[in-house]
Amino acid sequence: MLGSVMLGIFGGRVPDGVDSYEIDFRSSFSQLLCQCFGVIVVAAYSGVVTYLILRIMESRMGKLTHSEEKQDVGLDWIDHGEVAYHQMNILPSGAEGANPSTTAPSAPDSD
């Protein structure tokens, strides 16, 4: 996005004499507006298409997120059986390496 807008700020199209154009690094306000419009259109298109793809996937597969209980326990533990931040003492009780004073709930069974 930044590169597209910067091309509108610093670049201008000039004919090179062979039925094509080359970029001349000089400011062109009309080119800047064209580039900004293109960036907005592409961002809007990408957002809408991504939203539609996610809604279609959710209708076919069900929820795309874990339940609140699983998120509270920690997705590293739920999905992989390991903890990313060992210093935080968030391993479920009884887990290998768990701090006995930890009061986190046990990991529920995977779906």
Side-chain angles (χ1 to χ4, degrees):
M1 289 176 25
L2 180 62
S4 293
V5 173
M6 288 299 176
L7 184 60
I9 292 173
F10 296 113
R13 291 176 35 168
V14 289
D16 68 358
V18 193
D19 295 331
S20 63
Y21 289 91
E22 65 182 20
I23 299 297
D24 181 25
F25 289 99
R26 60 188 170 144
S27 182
S28 169
F29 186 70
S30 63
Q31 184 67 31
L32 175 63
L33 291 179
C34 182
Q35 294 297 118
C36 289
F37 178 72
V39 166
I40 291 169
V41 168
V42 168
Y45 173 79
S46 299
V48 169
V49 170
T50 300
Y51 177 80
L52 293 174
I53 290 170
L54 289 173
R55 293 304 116 204
I56 291 169
M57 286 177 57
E58 191 171 49
S59 71
R60 302 268 190 240
M61 299 170 43
K63 285 185 69 170
L64 297 176
T65 61
H66 286 285
S67 67
E68 289 291 327
E69 296 83 26
K70 288 183 178 182
Q71 290 181 26
D72 288 341
V73 170
L75 297 180
D76 287 337
W77 181 253
I78 297 296
D79 290 340
H80 308 291
E82 51 189 39
V83 176
Y85 303 101
H86 299 289
Q87 303 89 348
M88 296 177 68
N89 293 326
I90 57 174
L91 281 171
S93 58
E96 181 181 330
N99 185 340
S101 64
T102 302
T103 58
S106 296
D109 294 333
S110 296
D111 292 324

